[in-house]
C-alpha cells in the first residue's frame, strides 16, 4: 500500500528547506480544517508515528526508513508544530489533537495496524484508541507521557504554560534565545539523551520558528492527563512500553505504575538511553517493536 502518490505538494511547501530530513517524503494537505505537513514512505500495513511536544517529523528521521522496509509509514507534524499550520486552542488539547489526527487519517484513507507515539504522542495515541478513532493491533509508547506529572512539575507545568502563552511576544523571545546553540543543547541534555550535532541543529531550527514555539506552548497549556488517567483502565489495545532507563523527562518508574493499571502492558527497557531513545538508538527501538509486532 502506498499513500504518497495521492497527495500533491502545494506552494506552502517552499517553507520546508531541501535539506530537511526526508524532504522528498513530505506532503501538505488540508484535513479537519487544519493544514498538515505529513511525511509518507514505504509500502505495506500502515504505521502511524506521533511525535512528542516540541518536536516534528524530524524526530523519526532514523527510525522511519527502517520501518518503511515493511510498512507504509505516516508521520505528521502535530497541529501548530513543525510545519503544520496554526490551530485553534481546542485543537491543541489531547482530545482535540486525537480528533484532528483522526480527520487526517480519514483524508488519507488510512487505518493504522501499528501506532507508535513518543512522549505526548503516546498519550494522543492512547486517547485515539479509547475514543474509537483507531483500532491498531499494537500501541507502542516510547517514554510515553501517559500519567499526570507528579510533584513540583505537575503543579507548575500547565499553569506556567498557560501564563506564557498569554504573554505577548513570548514565542518570539524564546525563538530569539534559541539562536544560542548552548541554550538548545542544555534543553536537550536535560532529557537524559545525547543527540548528535545534526539532531541538535534540527531542534534548534524548530525552536527558532515563533510559530512552532507558539504551537508548542499552546499544546502545553491545553494538556490535561487526568482524564486520560481515569480512562486508561478501559484501554483494550495491546500496549508496549519502550522506556529509556536514563530518561530524565518521564521517570522510568512510571512504566511500572502503568503496568499495574493495564495488565496487557509489556515493558521493554533500554539501558543507557534517555527520553529521545528513538533518536539515539533507532535500531534498538525497532528491535523492541518488532519483537512484539513481527
Amino acid at each position: 500500500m502506498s499513500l504518497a502518490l495521492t497527495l500533491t505538494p502545494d506552494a506552502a511547501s517552499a517553507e520546508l528547506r531541501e535539506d530537511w530530513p526526508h524532504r522528498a517524503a513530505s506532503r501538505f494537505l488540508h484535513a479537519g480544517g487544519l493544514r498538515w505537513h505529513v511525511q509518507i514512505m514505504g509500502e505495506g500495513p500502515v504505521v502511524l508515528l506521533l511525535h512528542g511536544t516540541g518536536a516534528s517529523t524530524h524526530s523519526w528521521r532514523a527510525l522511519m526508513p527502517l520501518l518503511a522496509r515493511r510498512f507504509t509509514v505516516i508521520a505528521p507534524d502535530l497541529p501548530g508544530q513543525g510545519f503544520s499550520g496554526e490551530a485553534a486552542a481546542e485543537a491543541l488539547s489531547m482530545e482535540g489533537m486525537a480528533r484532528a489526527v483522526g480527520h487526517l487519517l480519514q483524508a488519507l484513507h488510512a487505518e493504522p495496524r501499528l501506532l507508535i507515539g513518543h512522549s505526548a504522542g503516546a498519550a494522543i495515541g492512547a486517547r485515539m484508541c479509547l475514543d474509537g478513532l483507531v483500532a491498531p493491533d499494537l500501541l507502542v509508547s516510547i517514554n510515553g507521557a501517559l500519567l499526570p506529572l507528579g510533584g513540583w512539575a505537575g503543579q507548575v507545568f500547565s499553569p506556567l504554560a498557560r501564563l506564557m502563552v498569554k504573554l505577548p511576544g513570548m514565542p518570539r523571545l524564546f525563538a530569539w534565545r534559541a539562536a544560542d546553540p548552548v541554550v538548545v543543547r542544555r534543553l536537550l541534555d536535560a532529557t537524559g539523551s545525547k543527540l548528535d550535532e545534526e539532531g541538535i541543529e534540527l531542534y534548534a531550527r524548530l525552536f527558532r520558528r515563533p510559530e512552532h514555539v507558539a504551537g508548542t506552548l499552546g499544546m502545553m497549556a491545553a494538556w490535561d492527563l487526568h482524564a486520560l488517567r481515569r480512562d486508561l483502565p478501559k484501554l483494550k489495545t495491546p500496549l508496549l512500553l519502550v522506556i529509556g532507563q536514563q530518561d530524565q523527562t518521564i521517570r522510568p518508574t512510571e512504566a511500572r505504575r502503568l503496568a499495574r493499571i493495564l495488565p496487557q502492558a509489556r515493558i521493554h527497557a533500554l539501558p543507557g538511553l534517555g527520553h529521545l531513545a528513538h533518536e539515539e538508538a533507532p535500531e534498538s527501538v525497532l528491535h523492541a517493536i518488532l519483537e512484539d509486532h513481527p
Side-chain angles (χ1 to χ4, degrees):
M1 180 179 185
S2 178
L3 303 176
L5 297 178
T6 67
L7 305 176
T8 302
D10 63 17
S13 64
E15 67 189 74
L16 197 60
R17 283 169 42 176
E18 289 296 329
D19 62 348
W20 193 253
H22 308 305
R23 173 64 179 79
S26 288
R27 301 292 186 272
F28 289 84
L29 73 155
H30 287 81
L34 298 173
R35 175 179 163 274
W36 294 86
H37 168 238
V38 59
Q39 292 190 333
I40 302 174
M41 65 171 63
E43 292 192 24
V46 175
V47 175
L48 176 64
L49 303 179
L50 298 178
H51 67 74
T53 310
S56 77
T57 58
H58 86 278
S59 66
W60 306 111
R61 67 191 184 282
L63 183 58
M64 192 173 182
L66 298 178
L67 287 164
R69 295 172 182 171
R70 56 194 301 176
F71 300 102
T72 297
V73 187
I74 301 174
D77 284 343
L78 291 175
Q81 297 180 58
F83 297 93
S84 287
E86 182 181 359
E90 58 267 22
L92 297 178
S93 68
M94 186 188 309
E95 295 80 3
M97 285 201 172
R99 288 191 298 270
V101 177
H103 289 309
L104 174 64
L105 292 175
Q106 288 177 359
L108 293 171
H109 305 289
E111 298 181 0
R113 305 317 312 157
L114 180 60
L115 198 163
I116 304 172
H118 169 244
S119 194
I124 297 170
R127 187 74 265 168
M128 293 181 72
C129 292
L130 286 163
D131 293 347
L133 298 169
V134 289
D137 300 326
L138 178 67
L139 171 62
V140 180
S141 164
I142 303 174
N143 293 320
L146 297 171
L147 295 174
L149 295 174
W152 178 85
Q155 296 175 32
V156 304
F157 181 78
S158 290
L160 180 60
R162 285 194 288 269
L163 173 63
M164 292 176 69
V165 82
K166 293 178 182 178
L167 294 176
M170 179 56 68
R172 292 194 175 278
L173 175 61
F174 187 94
W176 174 75
R177 288 290 293 132
D180 183 349
V182 174
V183 172
V184 178
R185 189 180 297 273
R186 285 175 179 167
L187 283 172
L188 295 174
D189 285 348
T191 68
S193 287
K194 298 295 182 184
L195 298 188
D196 58 19
E197 292 303 315
E198 179 190 16
I200 295 170
E201 172 55 24
L202 290 169
Y203 275 104
R205 285 196 211 176
L206 287 179
F207 296 164
R208 289 194 292 263
R209 300 183 72 245
E211 303 89 345
H212 173 79
V213 175
T216 300
L217 288 175
M219 178 182 180
M220 293 165 62
W223 214 240
D224 180 5
L225 286 162
H226 291 88
L228 179 64
R229 168 63 183 86
R230 290 193 297 270
D231 290 344
L232 271 178
K234 303 174 188 175
L235 182 68
K236 304 303 181 185
T237 309
L239 175 64
L240 173 64
L241 303 169
V242 178
I243 58 171
Q245 291 186 323
Q246 301 303 314
D247 189 350
Q248 300 300 307
T249 303
I250 306 295
R251 292 174 297 177
T253 53
E254 296 294 273
R256 290 195 289 274
R257 289 179 59 200
L258 279 166
R260 289 194 291 269
I261 298 170
L262 298 165
Q264 77 273 32
R266 299 178 297 282
I267 299 174
H268 191 118
L270 298 174
L273 299 179
H275 191 60
L276 308 174
H278 59 301
E279 298 189 59
E280 292 180 283
E283 294 87 357
S284 297
V285 172
L286 178 70
H287 177 72
I289 294 169
L290 293 184
E291 273 194 347
D292 265 75
H293 193 279

